[in-house]
């Protein structure tokens, strides 16, 4: 199979949220986390065959997909799960919101690292709820949540710890000892842990391996809601197939109860795509990872050579977190938009001096964006 990640797909005149944000502007969109790569050919073929049937009534979860997930977690992550632990969702953000509703009463609160993927904060504040944050600091050129700093802000109202691994926006892949520290924190304060692991298949740093929080031990398993999806891995985000893996039956019951009436069923085409991706997408995934590593190397080298910018190489995800605090500008996001590059603004993540770059694009487009950044910074520092 020949896989060409340099193949240009023009999404500027499509229904793409990513490309329509700057419609009719000369701005390269490197923001929302979907890639510009065509999905695995096996996925496209299976979708075409299903569409050709011409009937799109209500469907159910394919048993093959459940078997594939169970086997995948065992083979890739050494985590043995039972099929009944899986709750299928039409998107991972739904899972964040239901996890909050299921575990946090309105007078209680959640905890999360900051900065963080914006839907974490939105979910934690639903129906007037509150959240507290755990500072993320740079430690040996990695972004790591400092749990010792959080002890001082706790008041006993906390019920849910919301984690993100690999970390969005910083790209950190948490090591086992760091996950055990997170577990010890959750044990001390009797917290349920909701772990967003949507980028778990996208490990860019050689030698690293994703470790699901729930796989640490029996205690971690029983206090956990793990959110996963093929959507980022195989560029299927617009189809919407995700899952919550909840081993504890009482916690799973609360989650299902909280989702009643507000959680739609998973789209039947999403099931088709997820099944094909998990069954036949490994060769495509390995090729994509190789390409993303090249983009990461290019972007990290060039951005760190730019005056006023700094980016730690992301260990996982295809997202980079750029520190622009040394730039003599009021709003780094707006500065780069005016230079023709559209990042995600750091203010949405709780860090306005930063921007987030999406490296999931054709290399020629990334090089063009980096050239624009160079030119804008050269003009700024004249």
């Amino acid at each position: 199979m020949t896989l060409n990640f340099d193949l240009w797909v023009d999404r500027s005149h499509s229904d793409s949220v990513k490309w329509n944000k700057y419609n009719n502007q000369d701005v390269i969109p490197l923001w929302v986390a979907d890639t510009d790569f065509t999905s695995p050919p096996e996925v496209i073929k299976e979708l075409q065959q299903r569409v050709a049937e011409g009937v799109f009534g209500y469907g159910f979860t394919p048993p093959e997909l459940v078997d594939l997930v169970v086997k995948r977690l065992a083979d890739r992550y050494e985590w043995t799960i039972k099929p009944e632990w899986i709750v299928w969702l039409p998107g991972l953000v739904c899972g964040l919101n239901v996890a909050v509703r299921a575990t946090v009463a309105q007078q209680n609160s959640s905890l999360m690292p900051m900065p963080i993927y914006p839907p974490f904060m939105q979910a934690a504040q639903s129906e007037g709820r509150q959240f507290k944050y755990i500072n993320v600091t740079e430690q040996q050129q990695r972004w790591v949540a400092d749990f010792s700093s959080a002890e001082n802000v706790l008041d006993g109202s906390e019920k849910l710890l919301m984690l993100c691994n690999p970390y969005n926006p910083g790209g950190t892949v948490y090591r086992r000892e760091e996950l055990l520290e997170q577990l010890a924190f959750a044990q001390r304060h009797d917290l349920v842990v909701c772990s967003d692991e949507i980028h778990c298949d996208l490990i860019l740093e050689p030698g690293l391996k994703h470790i699901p929080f729930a796989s640490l031990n029996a205690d971690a398993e029983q206090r956990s809601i793990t959110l996963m999806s093929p959507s980022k891995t195989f560029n299927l985000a617009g189809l919407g197939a995700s899952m919550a893996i909840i081993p504890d039956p009482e916690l799973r019951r609360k989650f299902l109860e909280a989702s009643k009436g507000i959680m739609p069923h998973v789209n039947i085409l999403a099931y088709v795509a997820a099944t094909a991706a998990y069954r036949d997408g490994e060769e495509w995934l390995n090729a994509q990872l190789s390409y993303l590593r090249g983009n990461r190397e290019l972007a990290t080298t060039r951005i760190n050579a730019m005056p006023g910018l700094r980016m730690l190489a992301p260990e996982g995800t295809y997202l980079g977190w750029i520190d622009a605090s040394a730039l003599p500008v009021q709003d780094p996001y707006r500065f780069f938009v005016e230079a023709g590059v559209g990042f995600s603004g750091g203010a949405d993540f709780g860090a306005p001096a930063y921007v987030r770059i999406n490296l999931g694009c054709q290399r020629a487009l990334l090089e063009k964006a980096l050239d624009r950044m160079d030119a804008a910074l050269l003009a700024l520092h004249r």
Side-chain angles (χ1 to χ4, degrees):
M1 184 193 310
T2 301
L3 298 169
N4 181 13
F5 289 88
D6 285 314
L7 178 67
W8 174 249
V9 180
D10 185 3
R11 305 175 70 199
S12 60
H13 303 292
S14 72
D15 56 6
S16 165
V17 169
K18 180 179 183 179
W19 281 83
N20 272 274
K21 179 172 182 176
Y22 302 106
N23 196 23
N24 299 320
Q25 301 176 61
D26 184 19
V27 178
I28 298 170
L30 299 178
W31 64 290
V32 68
D34 69 9
T35 72
D36 292 326
F37 309 137
T38 55
S39 294
E42 298 87 352
V43 171
I44 297 168
K45 179 183 175 183
E46 294 269 344
L47 286 169
Q48 289 170 334
Q49 290 176 348
R50 180 64 182 86
V51 169
E53 292 180 17
V55 179
F56 307 106
Y58 296 115
F60 58 83
T61 308
E64 181 187 5
L65 176 56
V66 176
D67 292 343
L68 285 165
V69 169
V70 172
K71 186 176 188 305
R72 185 180 186 84
L73 293 179
D75 292 349
R76 290 180 75 97
Y77 304 121
E78 300 170 18
W79 184 23
T80 301
I81 72 164
K82 296 179 180 178
E84 60 266 28
W85 295 357
I86 305 172
V87 178
W88 291 95
L89 309 169
L92 186 133
V93 171
C94 302
L96 292 173
N97 281 271
V98 174
V100 169
R101 291 167 187 259
T103 60
V104 183
Q106 285 181 280
Q107 68 271 23
N108 295 134
S109 61
S110 306
L111 280 163
M112 66 189 69
M114 285 283 281
I116 196 66
Y117 175 53
F120 273 64
M121 293 180 275
Q122 294 157 7
Q125 295 176 97
S126 63
E127 299 177 309
R129 293 176 177 86
Q130 303 294 316
F131 74 90
K132 300 183 179 73
Y133 63 85
I134 300 160
N135 288 318
V136 172
T137 60
E138 183 183 337
Q139 299 179 28
Q140 299 180 323
Q141 298 206 315
R142 299 169 64 243
W143 295 112
V144 178
D146 179 10
F147 280 80
S148 62
S149 71
E151 298 284 354
N152 298 328
V153 304
L154 304 184
D155 60 14
S157 69
E158 303 81 17
K159 299 298 178 184
L160 179 67
L161 173 61
M162 302 174 78
L163 300 176
C164 189
N165 180 32
Y167 172 51
N168 175 8
T172 303
V173 175
Y174 279 114
R175 313 299 197 260
R176 184 173 297 276
E177 60 270 19
E178 292 166 336
L179 292 169
L180 287 169
E181 179 190 359
Q182 295 168 9
L183 172 60
F185 181 88
Q187 289 171 326
R188 281 197 303 276
H189 303 288
D190 193 23
L191 303 172
V192 174
V193 176
C194 179
S195 184
D196 168 6
E197 303 183 13
I198 196 171
H199 292 278
C200 63
D201 297 325
L202 298 168
I203 306 302
L204 303 184
E205 185 66 28
L208 291 187
K209 186 176 180 180
H210 175 73
I211 302 170
F213 176 87
S215 73
L216 291 172
N217 56 36
D219 182 88
E221 194 170 80
Q222 293 304 304
R223 70 172 66 244
S224 65
I225 299 169
T226 303
L227 302 176
M228 291 181 167
S229 174
S231 63
K232 304 299 183 189
T233 307
F234 300 103
N235 202 21
L236 307 175
L239 285 168
S242 300
M243 66 195 107
I245 303 171
I246 312 173
D248 180 72
E250 178 58 18
L251 184 56
R252 190 165 64 251
R253 184 195 66 76
K254 290 179 179 178
F255 188 94
L256 289 167
E257 188 67 28
S259 69
K260 279 184 180 176
I262 61 170
M263 183 78 74
H265 297 293
V266 176
N267 184 291
I268 54 173
L269 295 182
Y271 277 141
V272 170
T275 304
Y278 280 153
R279 185 184 61 225
D280 300 317
E282 201 65 18
E283 182 181 352
W284 182 94
L285 173 55
N286 289 334
Q288 179 191 221
L289 286 170
S290 177
Y291 193 87
L292 289 172
R293 288 180 182 120
N295 280 2
R296 178 185 76 147
E297 183 177 354
L298 171 67
T300 304
T301 300
R302 288 198 54 185
I303 289 169
N304 285 321
M306 295 179 187
L309 297 184
R310 185 164 179 263
M311 184 179 84
L312 303 182
E315 298 175 330
T317 80
Y318 47 75
L319 306 167
W321 190 231
I322 303 173
D323 181 356
S325 59
L327 279 189
V329 299
Q330 191 74 19
D331 183 349
Y333 164 76
R334 180 51 51 190
F335 171 77
F336 284 115
V337 168
E338 290 171 357
V341 184
F343 297 128
S344 294
D348 293 338
F349 297 77
Y354 289 72
V355 292
R356 192 190 73 176
I357 182 173
N358 179 347
L359 304 174
C361 63
Q362 282 70 34
R363 193 157 300 149
L365 187 71
L366 178 59
E367 288 175 334
K368 185 177 179 180
L370 293 167
D371 288 344
R372 290 185 176 189
M373 294 169 67
D374 264 330
L377 292 168
L378 180 64
L380 180 67
H381 288 91
R382 271 183 187 150

